Amino acid sequence: MDPIFVLFGVFAVFIPALLLPGPDFVAIVRVSMTRGPLAGLLTTLGVSAGLGFYATLSLLGLSAVLSEYQWLAWTIRVLGGCYLAYLGVRLLLAKPGKMDLSDDQAPRRTNALVFGFLVTLTNPKAIVLFASVFAPVVSADTPTWFLSTMIGLVIVSALTWYTLVSLCMSSAPVIRRFQHVQHWIERVAGICFIGIGARIMADARNPVSP
């Protein structure tokens, strides 16, 4: 598969998923609102490190495993494609909802970095996302430099987006305005998930390069 298409396919799913308000987003907004922008930026660093950690496990770790077990590569592709298609349908059918921004567990500034990392580390959606999106594009002959590039792009994308969230969206009025477009982001993400999931399932019929 062409590397450019791989990058486009992976990040066509990852970027909308990154933009969708979830545990990472809410954690950063909570900390920024209650502890200030510096604590919000430290939480951003923690979240980005957590995403980079999962990307590394999904790409570099699975690369070695899939080179030995071809059936596992096929299974991951099929299951990942099915999950993305299912998630896409759910996003298209989802109704607009509100985020809970209550200040119940906002950490102190000195713990913000660890807090952000742990939020991502314990987020099941992050685990499933990387297993579904990143693992299917790994094969035995995928070069290390290309895997490293994707990991770097994950970290840079997360840092960029969540820094903007921390600096520009740390007040309740701005959050309320963002909620008006949240549903449209979900719809775009749903279309991307369905399309990429279908392509992954189609590619699963091709054998993984030894």
Side-chain angles (χ1 to χ4, degrees), residues 2-50:
D2 185 81
I4 299 300
F5 177 81
V6 171
L7 280 177
F8 176 81
V10 168
F11 285 91
V13 173
F14 176 74
I15 296 300
L18 184 69
L19 298 180
L20 284 173
D24 297 342
F25 182 91
V26 173
I28 290 171
V29 171
R30 282 177 178 171
V31 174
S32 298
M33 291 179 65
T34 59
R35 303 299 177 187
L38 178 57
L41 292 175
L42 289 175
T43 307
T44 293
L45 288 175
V47 167
S48 302

Side-chain angles (χ1 to χ4, degrees), residues 93-114:
L93 299 178
K95 297 180 180 180
K98 294 183 179 180
M99 293 176 293
D100 179 16
L101 295 176
S102 58
D103 180 26
D104 53 350
Q105 295 181 346
R108 296 188 179 277
R109 182 177 298 174
T110 54
N111 298 326
L113 180 64
V114 176

Side-chain angles (χ1 to χ4, degrees), residues 70-81 204:
Q70 297 288 312
W71 63 268
L72 181 59
W74 180 88
T75 301
I76 290 176
R77 289 185 178 184
V78 171
L79 293 179

Side-chain angles (χ1 to χ4, degrees), residues 47-120:
V47 167
S48 302
L51 292 174
F53 175 74
Y54 274 133
T56 301
L57 287 183
S58 299
L59 292 170
L60 299 184
L62 284 174
S63 178
V65 174
L66 297 181
S67 64
E68 296 293 332
Y69 302 100
Q70 297 288 312
W71 63 268
L72 181 59
W74 180 88
T75 301
I76 290 176
R77 289 185 178 184
V78 171
L79 293 179
C82 289
Y83 174 77
L84 288 176
Y86 166 75
L87 182 59
V89 172
R90 289 197 60 182
L91 288 173
L92 288 177
L93 299 178
K95 297 180 180 180
K98 294 183 179 180
M99 293 176 293
D100 179 16
L101 295 176
S102 58
D103 180 26
D104 53 350
Q105 295 181 346
R108 296 188 179 277
R109 182 177 298 174
T110 54
N111 298 326
L113 180 64
V114 176
F115 173 73
F117 183 78
L118 292 179
V119 165
T120 300

